[in-house]
Amino acid sequence: MFVALAHLTARRPIAVVLAWALAAAAMLALALLGVGGGNLFDRTETGVPTVADADSTVVYEQARQSAAAAGSPALSLLVTGVDPASADEIAAISDAADAAASEPGVVTVTSPYGLLIGPAATSEFLAKLAATPGDPSAAAQLVGVDGDDVLITVEYADNLANAVGTHGATIAAFDAAYSGTGEVLTYSSPLLYDDFTTQIQQDLVTGEAVALPVALLVMVLVFGGFLAASAPLIGAFASIAGGLAVLFGFSYPLTLDESAINVVTVLGVGLSIDYGLLIVSRYREEMA
């Protein structure tokens, strides 16, 4: 088989190179653009690494189920560098909380200055809320111990679709309405995982943009020629494209962590350069 492949490559080098280029481009497009269910980045997950049947995994899954039963992930907004007793800050934060409470999917908005009911609050929730006595110390717990921070929490309805977009809309409404002097910091689990995904995509592009030119420069110095040095990098591109396409296929039957993408690209570059150096060196030895 390898003899036949060698003869084919020697007889039709241009056709073989073009076929590999088209195949690599198609595999890369498949991984980055996807078909139907999103691209490779959309189909990977960021979460806590677990071991099947381990005690820690059982506890983690039970905690996740309890959190899911309690409702959709909450959004926290921390206003720092403010005087919680200032009339101007109270008015600014209250206006912003009113704007957040008007967003679709919001059940409640809680701040040191009161509890606001959102459009997603059900009659059962309102009845339960009316029957539950309030905690007088709850407002004080939302003010920082240093007296210059205020915490606002936004609770959402169960099974909230597109949590990232909904949380982003709430943050935008809050920022548009807030006219105080403090800095607003935000957090929620969907936003955190979305940041992970975005950062991995940026790191992937940045890493390859730095690693490949540096590797090419080193190999040009080692081999003394651009053509010989570029061969391993061309193989690395095809290897990365093929590896990402294979990962995309595995994303359907398996749950993949986003770090697998970076591992594939690192191994693709490293192994392709190593074996490319080996092949070029052996080829030069045989020619000599």
Side-chain angles (χ1 to χ4, degrees), residues 19 38 49 69 78 117 130 140 145 158-159 164 166 225 228 244 263 271-272:
L78 179 66
I117 305 300
V145 294
D158 294 348
N159 302 321
V164 172
T166 305
L244 294 181
V263 172
L271 293 176
S272 296

Side-chain angles (χ1 to χ4, degrees), residues 215-221 223-234 280 284:
L216 177 61
L217 176 61
V218 172
M219 286 186 292
V220 167
L221 296 177
F223 287 117
F226 179 81
L227 185 60
S230 63
L233 291 185
I234 294 174
V280 172
R284 284 186 163 182

Side-chain angles (χ1 to χ4, degrees), residues 42 54 92 135 180 191-192 197 203 236 268:
D42 297 330
D135 183 1
L191 293 177
L192 178 65
T197 302
D203 290 347

Side-chain angles (χ1 to χ4, degrees), residues 6-87:
H7 282 296
L8 174 64
T9 305
R11 289 196 305 268
R12 303 184 182 277
I14 297 179
V16 170
V17 170
L18 290 178
W20 263 110
L22 291 176
M27 290 185 291
L28 187 62
L30 176 64
L32 298 183
L33 301 179
V35 285
N39 59 24
L40 177 59
F41 293 99
D42 297 330
R43 300 189 58 81
T44 54
E45 298 182 0
T46 298
V48 178
T50 57
V51 178
D53 299 327
D55 292 343
S56 58
T57 302
V58 174
V59 173
Y60 174 71
E61 293 298 334
Q62 290 179 350
R64 286 187 60 189
Q65 293 174 4
S66 299
S72 294
L75 171 67
S76 299
L77 301 107
L78 179 66
V79 185
T80 65
V82 298
D83 180 7
S86 168

Side-chain angles (χ1 to χ4, degrees), residues 10-284:
R11 289 196 305 268
R12 303 184 182 277
I14 297 179
V16 170
V17 170
L18 290 178
W20 263 110
L22 291 176
M27 290 185 291
L28 187 62
L30 176 64
L32 298 183
L33 301 179
V35 285
N39 59 24
L40 177 59
F41 293 99
D42 297 330
R43 300 189 58 81
T44 54
E45 298 182 0
T46 298
V48 178
T50 57
V51 178
D53 299 327
D55 292 343
S56 58
T57 302
V58 174
V59 173
Y60 174 71
E61 293 298 334
Q62 290 179 350
R64 286 187 60 189
Q65 293 174 4
S66 299
S72 294
L75 171 67
S76 299
L77 301 107
L78 179 66
V79 185
T80 65
V82 298
D83 180 7
S86 168
D88 292 338
E89 286 297 341
I90 293 175
I93 294 174
S94 298
D95 290 342
D98 288 337
S102 65
E103 288 297 311
V106 172
V107 177
T108 61
V109 176
T110 307
S111 74
Y113 314 115
L115 175 67
L116 301 176
I117 305 300
T122 62
S123 56
E124 293 82 4
F125 172 80
L126 294 176
K128 181 179 178 181
L129 184 65
T132 304
D135 183 1
S137 64
Q141 295 174 2
L142 298 178
V143 177
V145 294
D146 295 331
D148 57 0
D149 301 312
V150 172
L151 181 65
I152 298 96
T153 59
V154 183
E155 299 286 343
Y156 294 87
D158 294 348
N159 302 321
L160 182 67
N162 188 19
V164 172
T166 305
H167 290 195
T170 303
I171 294 171
F174 189 95
D175 288 338
Y178 180 66
S179 58
T181 58
E183 180 184 6
V184 180
L185 307 176
T186 59
Y187 168 81
S188 74
S189 296
L191 293 177
L192 178 65
Y193 294 150
D194 185 64
D195 286 345
F196 282 157
T197 302
T198 303
Q199 189 63 50
I200 286 176
Q201 294 180 16
Q202 294 175 352
D203 290 347
L204 180 63
V205 174
T206 303
E208 302 310 323
V210 173
L212 294 181
V214 171
L216 177 61
L217 176 61
V218 172
M219 286 186 292
V220 167
L221 296 177
V222 171
F223 287 117
F226 179 81
L227 185 60
S230 63
L233 291 185
I234 294 174
F237 171 78
S239 176
I240 293 172
L244 294 181
V246 170
L247 272 187
F248 180 77
F250 276 123
S251 68
Y252 284 90
L254 301 175
T255 300
L256 297 179
D257 191 90
E258 290 176 342
S259 59
I261 300 176
N262 296 72
V263 172
V264 165
T265 57
V266 169
L267 290 178
V269 173
L271 293 176
S272 296
I273 291 178
D274 287 346
Y275 283 96
L277 293 173
L278 175 64
I279 294 299
V280 172
S281 299
R282 292 293 177 85
Y283 176 81
R284 284 186 163 182

